[in-house]
Amino acid sequence: MHALRAVFAPTCSPFREKPFLLERLMLIESGSPVAADTRVGISLTINGQHRELQVAPWTTLLDLLRETLDLTGTKKGCDHGQCGACTVLVDGVRVNSCLALAVMKDGAEVTTVEGLAGLSNGGAGSNGLHPMQAAFVEHDAFQCGYCTPGQLCSSVGMMNEGHAHSRDEIREAMSGNICRCGAYTNIVDAIEDVMAQDGAAQDLGAAR
Amino acid sequence: MNRFDYVRAGTVAEAVQAFAGAPGAQFIAGGTNLVDLMKYDVTRPGRLIDITRLPLGDIAEHDGGLRVGALVTNANLAYDARVRSRYPLLADAILAGASGQLRNAATTGGNLNQRTRCYYFYDTATPCNKREPGSGCAAIGGVTRIHAIFGASESCIATHPSDMCVALAALEAVVQVTGPEGDRSIAFADFHRLPGDDPAKDNTLKPGEIVLSVDLPAADLSKNYTYLKLRDRLSYAFALVSVAAALELDGDTVKIARLALGGVAHKPWRNRQAEALLVGKPATRETFQAAADFVVAEARPQSENAFKVELARRAIVRGLSQAAAGTPQSLTDKRIQ
Ligand SMILES: Cc1cc2nc3c(=O)[nH]c(=O)nc-3n(C[C@H](O)[C@H](O)[C@H](O)COP(=O)(O)OP(=O)(O)OC[C@H]3O[C@@H](n4cnc5c(N)ncnc54)[C@H](O)[C@@H]3O)c2cc1C
Ligand code: SF4
Ligand code: FES
Ligand code: FES
């Protein structure tokens, strides 16, 4: 069995099990199994846009975004929860999209880096950017930029959580985002800056 | 990833039923461990039973303590105001683990049931008795930096990687489960098991049993506690050695002592005799050293992890000192005081 797989299936092929036909479509009914070769209908609101989608159950949210929906802003770094490049907001909460099965998120609201600006309602940022994006530009918080979409979604999610206040706390709360270029210092500067603006806005009672 | 049937369970009964008669079925909650393992082909469930829509997401008062539903996320548990004030040891242990994103997805039931991080378990090209019973253990004599120093067997030397579970062991939580044969309660000490000659089994859940909640008992261990985690980098890394310590003091005398170690065994490692050694003694460095010496006397390190024995000994002394002083290890200022 093992040998057969080794001979017939290249290890990295998504179709390594056997070729299968995704001709059947099912809607999920609680308690009833959806057979392995069936696509399921799910709905997601992605960056404010409602979508009815058909997914194979083993599709991760990350692959759905990148491969099917062409939302390639979200990056695949490790594909195993170890780097944070794939971070998106699901119902406002930051998670690793590489470890989330899309079918399990049926009904959720997803925000990717492409939708961040839309969250800020025009906000304080320049060029229609989310304030966090503007701060990243301002503070030169990247070099190659590969980790940046994940850093942005993660830092916006972290601010919603509201547990980090000091620089050390920000560093700890952002440890799930690895930057191969080592832009950490400037990333934390950018986040601190936005937090300060945010604090100021709250002090003034400004509606946001 | 292999192909699998997908079942979305609407009730606990549906989840239990969906398991029956589906060989290789597994429950999935946060997916942060299971999806990872499926991508590596380490596990190939024939059916995934999505339990995330079951009504197990609440933390409720229970018998003077708290009942934590199996679907409460690690983040919601750690930041719950009642947990922070009454079980700060648990909150700290959770926040010492994984990352913000992972803790938002990971659940209480999933954390208990997470698999080992043994490199060979993850590498399907090598023999591993846990992954493929009877195939052998590639870790023994191999790269053993992260492996067990207590309670290992000739079949398996893996460790349980959880931080949360180390605190739950010290707090003597109780796991409520249900399954094809009905409900039962499992004392935390009996939930995880040593590998023996059957390392495929991480814990004492029977096939098809599902964790419903983890109950935290009423005992007040919220003043003198610490979770001290030692690892290769300061965040987002598994423990080489961790210590959950909680004391109840009467003046300078130890009345109750709880001590559990992580990263050193196939389950959170408690030594009741060492705890007994502490009781009735003055809370001094000498007392703590005697207990630490007693614990590590049992250690049997592997070829590459003898350093863990001394690390554990010192971590126990430091952890008990932090607990006695009421100065728990800070999660952000990583200096160890
Ligand atoms: C990069 C990385 C770093 C990490 N670092 C740490 C760390 O430092 N410390 C730490 O403690 N953890 C760490 N983790 C592990 C993390 O805590 C676990 O992956 C998580 O707790 C698993 O929970 P889950 O809900 O996602 O489980 P899932 O992946 O959904 O499930 C895991 C297992 O539990 C079973 N299961 C889930 N719920 C139930 C239930 N209610 N009843 C019965 N069985 C159930 C599943 O069938 C499966 O076998 C890390 C993970 C990653 C990916
Ligand atoms: S230590 Fe256990 S998990 Fe690791 S290779 Fe050996 S049997 Fe497998
Ligand atoms: S791609 Fe998801 S964490 Fe690395
Ligand atoms: S900017 Fe290059 S990885 Fe972070």
Side-chain angles (χ1 to χ4, degrees):
Chain A
M1 178 65 192
H2 233 92
L4 276 182
R5 277 209 291 137
V7 173
F8 291 119
T11 349
C12 54
S13 156
F15 299 108
R16 70 159 88 159
E17 283 311 300
K18 58 176 183 199
F20 65 100
L21 298 171
L22 284 177
E23 63 210 359
R24 292 190 282 155
L25 169 71
M26 257 181 82
L27 292 177
I28 300 166
E29 225 176 284
S30 151
S32 329
V34 175
D37 56 355
T38 312
R39 277 185 194 259
V40 272
I42 63 168
S43 63
L44 288 173
T45 303
I46 300 174
N47 297 331
Q49 198 186 339
H50 183 83
R51 308 243 200 177
E52 298 290 334
L53 300 160
Q54 300 176 10
V55 296
W58 51 87
T59 312
T60 61
L61 180 57
L62 175 60
D63 286 342
L64 175 71
L65 292 170
R66 289 184 54 85
E67 307 297 330
T68 310
L69 302 175
D70 252 354
L71 289 167
T72 52
T74 308
K75 297 294 183 254
K76 182 180 283 194
C78 63
D79 213 18
H80 289 280
Q82 300 184 357
C83 75
C86 66
T87 305
V88 299
L89 303 174
V90 175
D91 294 328
V93 173
R94 56 178 172 155
V95 297
N96 306 90
S97 62
C98 68
L99 295 182
L101 295 177
V103 64
M104 292 176 67
K105 299 298 171 197
D106 189 9
E109 273 188 41
V110 178
T111 305
T112 68
V113 69
E114 290 93 340
L116 275 188
L119 281 188
S120 67
N121 232 347
S126 55
N127 300 327
L129 297 176
H130 184 279
M132 192 65 79
Q133 291 173 307
F136 267 57
V137 173
E138 174 70 21
H139 289 273
D140 201 10
F142 40 77
Q143 286 182 40
C144 76
Y146 197 80
C147 72
T148 310
Q151 301 276 5
L152 287 165
C153 288
S154 186
S155 51
V156 170
M158 181 204 66
M159 281 188 59
N160 292 343
E161 290 160 15
H163 303 300
H165 306 288
S166 68
R167 200 172 169 88
D168 278 348
E169 284 168 357
I170 296 171
R171 281 161 49 88
E172 173 61 28
M174 289 294 293
S175 72
N177 292 83
I178 307 284
C179 175
R180 186 68 179 80
C181 302
Y184 298 109
T185 310
N186 294 0
I187 292 170
V188 179
D189 285 350
I191 296 172
E192 268 193 310
D193 198 355
V194 178
M195 278 188 173
Q197 291 167 27
D198 208 55
Q202 268 167 7
D203 291 346
L204 293 171
R208 282 173 307 125
Chain B
M1 226 187 285
N2 69 292
R3 304 306 177 228
F4 52 83
D5 293 354
Y6 172 78
V7 183
R8 182 179 294 165
T11 62
V12 172
E14 262 176 20
V16 171
Q17 212 185 347
F19 196 94
Q26 288 192 54
F27 301 118
I28 183 162
T32 61
N33 190 223
L34 191 50
V35 173
D36 181 27
L37 290 168
M38 287 168 67
K39 286 183 178 184
Y40 282 119
D41 247 359
V42 172
T43 184
R44 304 164 53 81
R47 167 175 292 180
L48 275 193
I49 304 164
D50 176 354
I51 60 170
T52 53
R53 299 184 192 226
L54 303 184
L56 302 172
D58 292 328
I59 304 175
E61 291 292 338
H62 177 77
D63 254 357
L66 292 176
R67 169 161 283 181
V68 180
L71 291 174
V72 173
T73 63
N74 291 179
N76 285 347
L77 183 55
Y79 290 118
D80 183 88
R82 293 161 294 179
V83 173
R84 288 182 104 164
S85 67
R86 286 150 65 184
Y87 306 96
L89 171 61
L90 177 59
D92 282 7
I94 294 169
L95 295 177
S99 68
Q101 291 96 311
L102 287 161
R103 293 189 298 264
N104 283 340
T107 65
T108 304
N111 195 308
L112 261 59
N113 284 283
Q114 64 174 299
R115 313 295 316 267
T116 184
R117 309 303 285 203
C118 170
Y119 325 114
Y120 304 98
F121 173 69
Y122 266 83
D123 179 357
T124 55
T126 61
C128 167
N129 288 324
K130 191 181 274 301
R131 178 170 27 79
E132 226 173 296
S135 63
C137 170
I140 295 174
V143 179
T144 55
R145 179 173 171 75
I146 64 169
H147 289 80
I149 56 172
F150 295 113
S153 73
E154 281 170 16
S155 301
C156 178
I157 59 170
T159 58
H160 192 262
S162 170
D163 292 297
M164 185 177 97
C165 291
V166 183
L168 291 175
L171 293 168
E172 299 192 337
V174 177
V175 187
Q176 304 295 348
V177 311
T178 194
E181 288 157 34
D183 301 349
R184 62 188 184 111
S185 307
I186 309 173
F188 206 81
D190 301 327
F191 185 81
H192 296 101
R193 58 187 292 284
L194 293 178
D197 55 13
D198 189 10
K201 279 166 93 175
D202 296 344
N203 57 50
T204 54
L205 279 186
K206 295 182 195 145
E209 276 188 329
I210 179 168
V211 175
L212 297 177
S213 72
V214 174
D215 295 350
L216 304 174
D220 184 14
L221 295 165
S222 62
K223 281 179 209 72
N224 292 98
Y225 71 92
T226 196
Y227 189 73
L228 176 60
K229 179 175 178 180
L230 304 171
R231 42 189 157 169
D232 280 330
R233 62 181 183 204
L234 289 175
S235 187
Y236 203 14
F238 288 94
L240 289 166
V241 172
S242 70
V243 173
L247 300 171
E248 196 181 313
L249 300 175
D250 184 2
D252 278 345
T253 307
V254 178
K255 261 179 72 188
I256 297 178
R258 301 277 180 78
L259 181 65
L261 306 190
V264 294
H266 201 257
K267 60 188 287 188
W269 189 251
R270 264 184 87 184
N271 182 325
R272 308 293 171 105
Q273 283 169 287
E275 290 175 5
L277 276 182
L278 292 161
V279 175
K281 303 275 167 48
T284 59
R285 195 174 169 83
E286 289 65 42
T287 303
F288 302 152
Q289 267 166 344
D293 289 344
F294 187 86
V295 172
V296 300
E298 266 192 288
R300 300 285 175 274
Q302 304 299 320
S303 50
E304 293 187 341
N305 68 1
F307 76 96
K308 274 192 178 184
V309 179
E310 182 60 14
L311 197 62
R313 198 181 65 77
R314 294 186 193 196
I316 293 169
V317 175
R318 189 63 63 99
L320 289 168
S321 306
Q322 288 181 340
T327 52
Q329 177 61 41
S330 160
L331 296 167
T332 45
D333 175 358
K334 306 291 173 139
R335 275 169 299 182
I336 297 168
Q337 306 283 353

